[in-house]
């Protein structure tokens, strides 16, 4: 948590008056070190757009301590009436595709249009690498320095379900804090894109031209879930390839089953570095939003997502309760090994583990 | 259960001596009406290839009664050492694609090569339609009449997780009963294909030529998970279209991310009705099996699947315990409604429901 606090501060470095604001906040936190802000103070701070309070509340969401969780839920409860008003956009793409430069470009473009941008990440694997978006953040220099932007690293540990739920909860706080555009970033190599698509309105996939090595690592199935494919790095010698790739993907998308939304997924070329294609990306996003609001899919999807969120929260809690049982923990590794060696049936293992919590 | 027993009998109608065998079995069951077979009798019967005993054991797997579940688990435990030796093949495709005719064609082809075929289905929606494969069975006339084939309708109710687990358990019994080729059929319109791909070695998608209405209803993401796409009904006037579609899909597949298996997914045309392309489908299946056995993916995938099965079983049981709580049941519908109307936060709802089982 120390690390995250530090990085939350470093986001603000570029903002001229940030230092004072943050120093004040830090002082305030120091003074009340043992007395955490009240739920009311938290929710008011968030709704007033105090980024330090927002950061602190997100840290509570990410905490595994029951008292933090309880408080986090109360804060979320206070914020929910003020949430829901942003556009939630999922962005995925393997490392190397230029995701952070792209988000920076698009983010700055939108800020100039008067929007307020929050960038969150779902990356359960980041516990290993120390949080990939932490690296991103230093690369999103302009965006992270802007007062109308908020960049938050992925929760650094936990199951995908847990990370996803925490991200969804963080979206609520960001919306209550006045952010009208929330980007949720994933690396698209695991199951995380499924989790993302369950919490966004619009899902875009960043790719590179060519169908060779660049595709390595993308999880199969992602391409079909995208509402928009962006062929990035369409600049210099690469323009020709990117244009060809665009045509190829456009043809391929017609072979895909149609989306439930009724929207025909689009392909564009862009160069985040040169700033080309960014406007087109946003226009298409806007087209999608208008289209799905008109046919009501946007609202129906949000409702279903809210319902799903209840089930996800329940399921995750049930699992946490179970897998945190010390005896379950102890036996789980042993049983896994036996199963992998074909020495134990997975059903027998499950039943033995379940009996532990029966008694 | 009555219905299933009846249909299990009707499968055998075409087998010459089936009537006597079945009548004896029925008599035996009648006599021991109140005394179910012992675990030992079950597992021996299954291993001796007694299809009536196999059917009866599957009915136990499908039962929600705790004493049936307990017995089913014991039978599975006895059968596991004799399982694992079949090729498990997932087949998906929307209604109208000719799935049952295709499975019949491929099944008969394989039986003539000396193989023993089991056909199972995952179709959680079948509770509404009364079990789609029941209809299929009457359409798989030749296959269902053959003594080396076993066709089992989808469990007629339950959650996808439950149906998937039961199907995976049924695979074990079928393998212990000597079936060396297990087809698992889904309609491919829901999440069931994910469940299927978690329990098969090879996954094929049946499609029709053209990219129009035929694609309606296929869930996005399925196409990318297929190891083989079969363009069915490539006969008569349709041959030209099918050949064109094959070329298009082949191109499109190259734009997809590569599969973890290292296998490049293939496309073939076939006419289940005319019997063309069936041999090629099997040759490609065989190629895949050889390829993935050589690079060890086959075995690694099976191990991972076994491990996943333990987690799935645990998670499903935890959910069952929770959602079967009468008070949870009562409040759930009410809360869902409030969430859909935006009157209750999904997290608050989840927490209130979780508190019910806390006490």
């Amino acid at each position: 948590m120390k690390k995250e606090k530090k990085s939350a501060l470093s986001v603000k470095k570029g903002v001229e008056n940030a230092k004072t604001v943050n120093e004040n906040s830090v002082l305030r936190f120091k003074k009340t070190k043992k007395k955490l802000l009240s739920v009311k103070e938290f929710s008011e701070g968030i709704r007033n757009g105090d980024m330090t309070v927002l950061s602190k509340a997100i840290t509570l969401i990410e905490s595994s301590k029951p008292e933090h969780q309880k408080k986090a839920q109360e804060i979320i409860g206070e914020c929910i009436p003020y949430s829901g008003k942003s556009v939630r956009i999922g962005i995925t793409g393997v490392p190397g595709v230029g995701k952070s430069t792209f988000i920076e470009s698009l983010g700055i473009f939108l800020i100039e249009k008067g929007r307020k941008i929050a960038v969150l990440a779902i990356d359960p694997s980041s516990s290993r690498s120390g949080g990939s978006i932490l690296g991103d953040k230093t690369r999103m220099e302009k965006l992270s320095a802007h007062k109308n932007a908020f960049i938050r690293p992925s929760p650094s540990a936990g199951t995908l379900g847990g990370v996803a739920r925490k991200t969804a909860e963080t979206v609520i706080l960001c919306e209550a804090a006045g952010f009208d555009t929330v980007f949720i970033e994933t690396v698209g190599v695991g199951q995380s894109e499924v989790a993302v698509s369950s919490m966004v309105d619009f899902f875009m996939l960043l790719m590179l031209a060519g169908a060779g090595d660049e595709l390595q690592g993308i999880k199969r199935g992602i391409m079909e879930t995208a509402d928009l494919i962006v062929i990035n790095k369409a600049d210099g010698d690469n323009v020709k390839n990117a244009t060809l790739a665009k045509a190829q993907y456009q043809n391929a998308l017609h072979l895909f089953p149609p989306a439930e939304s009724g929207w025909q997924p689009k392909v564009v070329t862009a160069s985040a570095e040169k700033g080309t294609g960014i406007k087109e990306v946003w226009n298409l996003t806007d087209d999608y939003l208008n289209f799905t609001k008109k046919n009501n899919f946007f609202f129906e999807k949000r409702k279903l997502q809210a319902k799903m969120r209840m089930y996800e929260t329940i399921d995750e809690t049930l699992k946490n309760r179970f897998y945190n049982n010390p005896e379950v923990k102890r036996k789980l590794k042993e049983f896994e090994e036996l199963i992998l060696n074909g020495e134990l049936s997975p059903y027998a293992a499950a039943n033995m583990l379940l009996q532990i919590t029966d008694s």
Side-chain angles (χ1 to χ4, degrees), chain A:
Chain A
M1 276 199 326
K2 245 184 187 164
K3 201 166 144 197
E4 270 158 4
K5 191 171 159 190
K6 202 176 129 200
S7 62
L9 291 177
S10 67
V11 182
K12 314 296 305 161
K13 263 184 192 159
V15 188
E16 275 170 45
N17 63 343
K19 251 183 178 161
T20 12
V21 170
N22 276 317
E23 269 163 11
N24 285 342
S25 310
V26 170
L27 282 176
R28 183 146 52 90
F29 278 120
K30 267 185 187 157
K31 256 189 270 174
T32 58
K33 208 176 179 181
K34 267 156 207 166
K35 216 183 119 261
L36 208 58
L37 295 177
S38 71
V39 171
K40 196 165 171 268
E41 284 168 318
F42 264 116
S43 62
E44 280 178 4
I46 290 166
R47 272 151 49 204
N48 289 333
D50 185 328
M51 302 236 201
T52 313
V53 174
L54 174 61
S55 277
K56 205 74 191 150
I58 296 173
T59 303
L60 285 181
I61 288 179
E62 291 167 359
S63 167
S64 54
K65 284 192 187 162
E67 68 269 28
H68 289 173
Q69 272 305 307
K70 190 172 171 287
K71 193 156 202 170
Q73 291 308 323
E74 287 170 10
I75 298 167
I76 292 164
E78 292 291 314
C79 286
I80 272 205
Y82 306 90
S83 72
K85 278 160 204 134
S86 83
V87 176
R88 303 164 184 167
I89 298 168
I91 295 189
T92 198
V94 292
V97 77
K99 234 169 18 267
S100 35
T101 318
F102 178 81
I103 294 175
E104 162 127 323
S105 245
L106 182 56
I108 294 291
F109 172 81
L110 292 172
I111 282 177
E112 283 167 2
K113 283 173 87 82
R115 302 188 78 104
K116 297 184 76 181
I117 313 295
V119 182
L120 312 173
I122 297 189
D123 180 10
S125 66
S126 69
S127 52
R128 279 177 237 148
S129 62
S132 62
I133 211 180
L134 275 172
D136 276 4
K137 204 147 67 168
T138 63
R139 274 177 284 167
M140 294 187 205
E141 252 184 271
K142 273 164 82 185
L143 194 61
S144 61
H146 204 288
K147 67 173 168 40
N148 287 334
F150 177 76
I151 301 177
R152 178 75 182 191
S154 176
S156 59
T159 59
L160 172 58
V163 173
R165 183 180 58 73
K166 287 165 189 171
T167 305
E169 291 174 344
T170 302
V171 169
I172 292 170
L173 301 195
C174 289
E175 289 176 342
F179 293 99
D180 56 22
T181 317
V182 179
F183 290 110
I184 302 175
E185 182 190 350
T186 58
V187 288
V189 293
Q191 288 301 328
S192 48
E193 85 287 350
V194 179
V196 174
S197 66
S198 84
M199 65 176 78
V200 297
D201 306 313
F202 186 72
F203 193 54
M204 59 174 94
L205 171 64
L206 259 60
M207 299 194 60
L208 295 176
D213 295 340
E214 300 87 352
L215 281 169
Q216 292 288 353
I218 296 190
K219 182 96 182 161
R220 288 207 287 175
I222 292 188
M223 209 178 286
E224 282 179 67
T225 62
D227 298 304
L228 175 67
I229 292 178
V230 181
I231 318 275
N232 195 24
K233 300 196 180 175
D235 44 40
D237 295 343
N238 215 16
V239 172
K240 212 173 148 184
N241 276 338
T243 311
L244 179 67
K246 177 185 164 180
Q248 285 176 327
Y249 281 110
Q250 241 156 5
N251 283 334
L253 287 182
H254 282 284
L255 298 171
F256 285 175
E260 245 181 294
S261 58
W263 167 261
Q264 172 64 45
K266 302 286 188 295
V267 190
V268 288
T269 58
S271 165
E273 214 161 303
K274 306 282 174 200
T276 56
I278 298 299
K279 194 181 163 194
E280 204 181 348
V281 165
W282 184 249
N283 285 344
L284 285 167
T285 309
D286 220 26
D287 284 353
Y288 174 90
L289 295 170
N290 289 330
F291 179 80
T292 54
K293 280 180 180 173
K294 216 168 170 181
N295 73 9
N296 221 35
F297 179 82
F298 181 92
F299 308 102
E300 288 305 314
K301 192 181 177 190
R302 282 238 172 147
K303 277 187 185 177
L304 278 178
Q305 286 176 339
K307 204 175 85 175
M308 287 309 299
R309 200 112 298 138
M310 175 183 73
Y311 285 101
E312 280 166 15
T313 307
I314 290 172
D315 296 348
E316 199 219 332
T317 310
L318 293 176
K319 283 196 227 175
N320 278 349
R321 284 182 185 170
F322 181 79
Y323 291 108
N324 280 332
N325 178 302
E327 207 184 327
V328 170
K329 264 187 187 168
R330 203 164 43 239
K331 295 233 165 127
L332 195 63
K333 280 286 141 203
E334 182 194 330
F335 285 180
E336 255 196 23
E337 209 55 44
L338 290 170
I339 289 170
L340 288 179
N341 295 331
E343 292 165 37
L344 179 65
S345 126
Y347 309 102
N351 284 334
M352 284 191 278
L353 289 169
L354 285 161
Q355 269 161 27
I356 293 173
T357 55
D358 267 352
S359 50

